[in-house]
Amino acid sequence: MKERSSSAGPQMTRQEFLKRMLGAGALVGGSALLGTRLWDRSVRVPGFEKTAGISLPGFQMDPSSVLPELVVARGADHGALIASAVGGLGGMSRFVKPGEAVLIKPNVAFDRPAALGTTTHPDALRAVAHLVWEAGASRIFIADNPINSPQGCFLKSGLTAVASEMNLEIIYPEEHTFSSLSMEGDVLREWPMFYEPFRRADKVIGLAPCKDHNLCSASMSMKNWYGMLGGRRNQFHQHIHRIISDFALMVKPTLVILDGMRILQSNGPTGGRLSDVKVLNTVIAGTDMVAVDACGYEQLLGRDLSQLTYVHLAQKRGLGRADWRNLRVKEVTA
């Protein structure tokens, strides 16, 4: 009797069977390895922290019942203008005491020259550092976690040169300088933060340029703290106004200064053309960064405040005053 042929096709030899099984095992193993690499445990995602992280202490001063809460200064000299703005609030000695270590947080997000208005201007940093040294500070740190190379950004923006000239210490973002932050934010709950500069500081000053931003309309003193987040922070872009309002909960600075000497009016935040920059010769300083940004949005960028969602979210949460005109506001000319 003849053997019946199988409809399944040619028979597989033992050698072929073993080869296929080994190949399948390698594929499964490789997929598992790829999966572990794609799920990087070193990149923290909100809600996946195993232990509670740090929270920042408050660096703010006790409020004054008589001094201005907001100062708008106008003039042509950068140094004199910043001195007048801070002087209108009571002077730097109100905020910094002898022997204290001070963190000045500039915006150094991109490797752009100062003329393009995308980063904190070196003259602004020089002026603030001068006032802080005069007040008797023992050390001054500057720090940011830029999108581009940190060393390149500080160098290209001109801030490395100011740090060398003014004896400022630059703290660059490195793995050991980050800690897990925990807070009850609207969006921000657990996230890696560039914590080391805050750990070393007694007082914190935010020093931001005023500029256009394609996602949130404007980058000013509140948005400046975005630079202290680590991890894959670009995933926050879809909730940009909510995350910026969270910064008013995350950081309680001693003082914020919004530099409007030269403003990036369009194509922000990166800019790239001198024609995008407008000279306004104005600086706004205050103890409430929500109010400072609300004022800056109207007075510097000349835009409708009702469209700046994040300041209204912050005010609704009791984190600051978007109704800046109802505060004690002082205008000075330098």
Side-chain angles (χ1 to χ4, degrees), residues 100-294:
E100 290 185 323
V102 178
L103 166 63
I104 301 175
K105 165 57 176 77
N107 185 326
V108 202
F110 306 103
D111 56 352
R112 298 283 199 183
L116 294 177
T118 60
T119 55
T120 293
H121 198 282
D123 287 345
L125 177 60
R126 184 179 291 107
V128 175
H130 177 72
L131 295 175
V132 173
W133 282 133
E134 273 196 335
S138 60
R139 303 173 75 181
I140 300 177
F141 310 107
I142 57 174
D144 199 7
N145 181 24
I147 294 172
N148 303 128
S149 162
Q151 287 82 356
C153 290
F154 274 89
L155 182 65
K156 192 73 171 285
S157 65
L159 299 193
T160 300
V162 175
S164 177
E165 170 195 337
M166 301 291 295
N167 195 27
L168 316 179
E169 301 174 47
I170 301 177
I171 304 177
Y172 290 112
E174 300 176 27
E175 185 177 355
H176 71 276
T177 63
F178 286 80
S179 294
S180 175
L181 170 75
S182 290
M183 57 177 278
E184 291 299 317
D186 184 23
V187 176
L188 198 59
R189 299 302 179 94
E190 291 91 24
W191 199 258
M193 183 187 190
F194 189 13
Y195 176 66
E196 182 64 16
F198 294 99
R199 187 188 69 80
R200 299 190 195 183
D202 297 304
K203 298 292 175 59
V204 174
I205 298 173
L207 177 58
C210 179
K211 59 181 181 176
D212 173 68
H213 197 286
N214 62 350
L215 291 179
C216 58
S217 187
S219 174
M220 297 179 285
S221 62
M222 291 172 71
K223 176 66 169 57
N224 190 29
W225 305 110
Y226 194 92
M228 302 308 280
L229 297 182
R232 295 171 182 167
R233 57 191 179 186
N234 61 343
Q235 67 184 274
F236 289 129
H237 286 173
Q238 59 185 319
H239 306 296
I240 192 69
H241 287 280
R242 292 165 61 197
I243 189 70
I244 295 175
S245 72
D246 273 350
F247 294 147
L249 176 64
M250 181 181 83
V251 183
K252 302 293 185 183
T254 313
L255 169 69
V256 291
I257 299 169
L258 182 61
D259 187 4
M261 289 292 289
R262 305 176 78 256
I263 295 176
L264 182 64
Q265 288 276 21
S266 55
N267 295 313
T270 58
R273 303 181 306 184
L274 288 174
S275 58
D276 294 330
V277 179
K278 182 178 181 180
V279 176
L280 280 189
N281 291 339
T282 305
V283 166
I284 301 172
T287 52
D288 178 345
M289 60 183 173
V290 178
V292 168
D293 282 5

